């Protein structure tokens, strides 16, 4: 097995196996071609996501249509260099393998622990969700991220955040401005000063079709959940940075971290422009696996403390590919994602076509991402212009409940259909807006296991005096297939 380090990038969702459980380590899944639902993608033919179902889930009133050609940086008076700057780690959390929806804050990613001797792995055999947060917590998929932020930093300046996005929503916009977009759809809600971009599939339990290869079995064997976070399913990370005049909070799934690069958290906040090269790999350890259980989404969200923060410079993204034909991985779809998430390390594992991995490269891709940024400066400026237009439209709308729909050749900004849906429970929205000074818990005591129930469960209302809060939270069929009350 060869391990090399040089310059290179990717990522996305996660998994439920044939029983309906999450497949082994699926939550840390390495998605093929931008879908984290299948950890390092295989050499199998790429299956695009299904188009948004606008018959089952109708579109709302059209407010404005945008073409790429209309996104003129000159009209927004942008500076010559539009880049990501002032990167800060904010919070993180692990989805836990519990019967109730549970996150561990800050959690930590699985460690890169390559096996001592390469063994032939079994091909992936399971079903994998496109959106792990939506599948695990369909009522308010954004709530776990917000809870992680406010748990880690109770005094976090929420009013400073202009855009709260994820790798999927911002990635879709980036593809659009690069004229390489496929159909997509996501919701927008204005909460205080912040635009929340909420990922939206046709169903929270939508699966990635035709999963093949070794994109889940490889990380299962070559990365390890450490004892502090045993029972984890996935690691979600939130970073803050300035882009195009906007203060952005970005959530994404992290495939793992390199233990030899773990340093003090105080040194972890560097943009890819500031990171240096030349780090050594950690030594190999035996891989470990855990069993997995699908949480009961009718339960409220629980938050427990555990794990440890890891520096941004140590995290990596992972892909697998067949090396049968001796062709290098195409990085054109991967570098943009790494740029958005500011991930500095990339692991590409080539197999012989039958599950034997003897060519594994661990690379510092900082320079490659910087080169991509320079080569795509025009598209990056168009992304900043697009964010400016979306902000003006959303903040000018009375309800502040919009959605973005792209049939592929244009972008439609619409009001959400009907009454729309909120991204957060009302009590948590109040906290984000700054109307309450302290986190609101259901109880001052935990459940005896260090877990505190937070907002967002199906089985009860948090504030009986709040007429706007849905009272019947048990009416979701199939864990919410857009029941009208849920964010999904």
């Amino acid at each position: 097995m060869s391990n090399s380090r040089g310059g290179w990038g990717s990522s996305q969702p996660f998994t439920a196996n044939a029983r309906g459980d999450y497949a082994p380590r699926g939550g840390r899944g390495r998605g093929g071609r931008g879908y984290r639902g299948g950890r390092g993608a295989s050499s199998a033919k790429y299956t695009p996501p299904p188009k948004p179902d606008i018959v089952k889930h109708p579109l709302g009133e059209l407010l404005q249509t945008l073409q790429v050609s209309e996104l003129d940086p000159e009209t927004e008076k942008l500076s010559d260099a539009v880049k990501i700057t002032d990167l800060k780690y904010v919070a993180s959390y692990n989805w836990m393998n519990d019967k109730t929806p549970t996150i561990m804050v800050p959690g930590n990613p699985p460690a890169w622990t390559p096996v001592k001797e390469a063994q032939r792995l079994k091909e992936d055999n399971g079903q994998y969700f496109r959106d792990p947060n939506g599948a695990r917590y369909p009522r308010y998929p954004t709530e776990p991220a917000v809870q992680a932020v406010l748990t880690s930093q109770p005094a976090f300046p929420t009013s400073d955040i202009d855009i709260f996005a994820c790798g999927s929503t911002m990635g879709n916009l980036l593809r659009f401005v690069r004229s390489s977009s496929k159909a997509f759809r996501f919701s927008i809600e204005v909460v205080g000063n912040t635009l929340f971009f909420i990922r939206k599939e046709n169903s929270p339990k939508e699966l990635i079709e035709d999963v093949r290869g070794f994109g889940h079995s490889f990380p299962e064997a070559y990365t390890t959940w450490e004892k502090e976070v045993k029972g984890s399913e996935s690691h979600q990370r939130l970073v803050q940075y300035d882009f195009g005049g906007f203060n952005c909070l970005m959530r994404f799934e992290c495939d793992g971290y390199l233990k030899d690069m773990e340093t003090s958290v105080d040194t972890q906040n560097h943009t890819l422009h500031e990171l240096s090269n030349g780090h050594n790999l950690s030594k190999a350890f035996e891989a470990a696996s855990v069993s997995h259980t699908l949480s009961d989404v009718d339960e409220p969200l629980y938050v427990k403390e555990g794990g440890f923060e890891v520096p941004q410079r140590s995290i990596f993204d992972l892909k697998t590919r067949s090396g049968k034909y001796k062709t290098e991985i195409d990085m054109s779809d991967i570098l943009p994602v790494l740029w958005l998430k500011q991930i500095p390390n990339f692991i590409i594992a080539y197999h012989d076509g039958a599950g034997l991995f003897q060519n594994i490269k661990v690379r510092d891709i900082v320079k490659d991402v910087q080169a991509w940024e320079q080569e795509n400066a025009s598209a990056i400026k168009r992304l900043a212009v697009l964010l400016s237009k979306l902000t003006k439209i959303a903040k000018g709308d009375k309800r502040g409940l919009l959605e973005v729909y792209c049939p592929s050749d244009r972008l439609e900004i619409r009001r959400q259909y009907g009454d729309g849906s909120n991204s957060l429970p009302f009590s948590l929205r109040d906290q984000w807006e700054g109307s309450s000074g302290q986190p609101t818990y259901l109880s001052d005591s935990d459940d005896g296991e260090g877990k505190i129930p937070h907002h967002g469960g199906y089985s009860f209302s948090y504030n009986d005096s709040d007429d706007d809060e849905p009272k019947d939270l048990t009416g979701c069929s199939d864990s919410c297939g857009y029941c009208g009350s849920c964010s999904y």
Side-chain angles (χ1 to χ4, degrees):
M1 178 179 71
S2 100
N3 282 317
S4 64
R5 195 165 179 78
W8 277 22
S10 158
S11 195
Q12 233 149 331
F14 154 89
T15 84
N17 65 21
R19 302 190 316 270
D21 297 341
Y22 290 91
R25 284 221 209 164
R28 298 201 330 266
R30 305 337 184 212
R33 295 289 295 257
Y35 297 103
R36 248 190 144 76
R39 271 173 101 153
S42 72
S43 58
K45 182 179 179 181
Y46 167 59
T47 302
K51 293 182 178 180
D53 189 340
I54 61 176
V55 175
K56 184 178 180 181
H57 311 299
L59 298 171
E61 176 189 355
L62 178 65
L63 298 178
Q64 188 170 340
T65 299
L66 294 173
Q67 304 284 348
V68 175
S69 59
E70 297 175 321
L71 303 175
D72 183 5
E74 296 298 326
T75 63
E76 298 296 325
K77 299 180 180 179
L78 296 177
S79 62
D80 291 337
V82 177
K83 298 179 179 180
I84 290 174
T85 60
D86 197 21
L87 177 71
K88 299 181 181 69
Y89 164 86
V90 173
S92 55
Y93 62 97
N94 285 17
W95 274 112
M96 304 306 294
N97 176 27
D98 287 355
K99 292 183 179 180
T100 56
T102 302
I103 61 172
M104 177 185 287
V105 178
N108 58 269
W112 174 243
T113 52
V115 297
K116 296 177 180 178
E117 185 176 346
Q119 297 179 354
R120 198 171 297 279
L121 304 179
K122 292 183 179 180
E123 190 171 12
D124 292 344
N125 181 22
Q127 296 177 318
Y128 306 94
F129 293 127
R130 290 192 178 278
D131 180 6
N133 290 283
R136 284 189 171 279
Y137 209 60
R139 173 166 291 279
Y140 298 112
T142 306
E143 181 186 355
V146 172
Q147 293 287 12
V149 171
L150 297 179
T151 298
S152 301
Q153 302 187 43
F156 183 77
T158 57
S159 61
D160 291 349
I161 301 300
D162 299 305
I163 295 172
F164 193 121
C166 66
S168 172
T169 53
M170 196 71 85
N172 282 329
L173 294 180
L174 180 57
R175 281 188 289 273
F176 174 75
V177 299
R178 296 175 64 214
S179 301
S180 60
S181 180
K182 296 179 176 63
F184 65 85
R185 181 180 186 178
F186 67 84
S187 299
I188 295 178
E189 181 179 11
V190 180
V191 181
N193 183 57
T194 308
L195 267 66
F196 280 80
F197 292 176
I198 304 102
R199 180 174 179 170
K200 193 168 188 177
E201 308 292 347
N202 288 325
S203 166
K205 285 191 174 182
E206 187 168 283
L207 300 174
I208 301 174
E209 302 295 334
D210 301 323
V211 175
R212 300 188 185 94
F214 305 88
H216 296 82
S217 60
F218 176 82
E220 177 73 12
Y222 283 73
T223 64
T224 303
W225 293 114
E226 295 163 290
K227 63 180 181 179
E228 294 89 350
V229 293
K230 282 294 185 183
S232 295
E233 297 271 358
S234 74
H235 179 72
Q236 307 282 327
R237 193 171 182 88
L238 292 110
V239 296
Q240 178 182 348
Y241 54 68
D242 292 332
F243 171 70
F246 294 96
N247 196 344
C248 302
L249 195 58
M250 173 71 68
R251 186 202 72 202
F252 59 91
E253 189 166 5
C254 175
D255 289 349
Y257 82 104
L258 302 172
K259 294 185 69 173
D260 68 311
M261 296 172 61
E262 184 182 358
T263 58
S264 168
V265 175
D266 292 339
T267 68
Q268 73 175 307
N269 298 320
H270 302 278
T271 64
L272 295 188
H273 291 282
E274 300 166 332
L275 292 175
S276 59
N277 299 331
H279 305 285
N280 297 319
L281 283 176
S282 57
K283 299 298 181 181
F285 294 92
E286 292 294 336
S289 61
V290 295
S291 60
H292 301 263
T293 303
L294 183 63
S295 300
D296 182 355
V297 295
D298 289 339
E299 294 289 330
L301 177 69
Y302 285 83
V303 178
K304 65 180 181 181
E305 295 184 358
F308 51 87
E309 297 174 354
V310 301
Q312 185 77 5
R313 66 183 300 127
S314 73
I315 66 173
F316 64 77
D317 197 81
L318 169 65
K319 288 284 183 279
T320 64
R321 288 291 189 275
S322 173
K324 185 176 180 180
Y325 302 106
K326 309 298 182 183
T327 57
E328 290 288 314
I329 186 173
D330 180 4
M331 299 297 291
S332 60
D333 288 337
I334 295 175
L335 290 171
V337 180
L338 294 173
W339 174 76
L340 280 174
K341 302 174 183 179
Q342 293 287 285
I343 296 178
N345 305 292
F346 183 64
I347 298 178
I348 175 65
Y350 294 99
H351 58 83
D352 64 356
L356 185 64
F357 289 84
Q358 293 182 305
N359 182 11
I360 302 172
K361 300 177 181 179
V362 182
R363 302 197 170 186
D364 181 324
I365 43 75
V366 171
K367 291 184 178 179
D368 298 78
V369 176
Q370 289 175 347
W372 179 89
E373 184 179 57
Q374 293 175 358
E375 294 167 1
N376 291 269
S378 296
I380 289 172
K381 286 184 178 181
R382 289 196 293 271
L383 176 61
V385 173
L386 178 55
L387 294 179
S388 177
K389 290 183 178 294
L390 291 176
T391 299
K392 290 176 182 177
I393 296 171
K395 290 190 174 181
D397 185 75
K398 291 183 178 180
R399 291 197 308 170
L401 291 172
L402 305 181
E403 71 172 342
V404 172
Y405 171 61
C406 176
S408 75
D409 61 340
R410 65 188 182 278
L411 209 63
E412 297 179 1
I413 296 91
R414 294 173 173 271
R415 289 196 172 97
Q416 289 187 24
Y417 181 77
D419 293 334
S421 59
N422 298 110
S423 58
L424 299 170
F426 279 81
S427 51
L428 194 55
R429 289 178 62 205
D430 287 345
Q431 188 177 339
W432 187 269
E433 291 173 344
S435 60
S436 60
Q438 298 295 328
T440 304
Y441 302 120
L442 297 179
S443 171
D444 290 332
S445 61
D446 61 32
D447 64 354
E449 297 181 359
K451 297 189 295 186
I452 301 174
H454 281 240
H455 318 283
Y458 282 92
S459 56
F460 50 85
S461 170
Y462 292 96
N463 183 353
D464 292 336
S465 64
D466 188 344
D467 294 335
D468 291 327
E469 179 76 46
K471 298 302 190 297
D472 183 8
L473 305 184
T474 60
C476 287
S477 60
D478 191 27
S479 298
C480 183
Y482 292 88
C483 65
S485 297
C486 298
S487 296
Y488 246 104

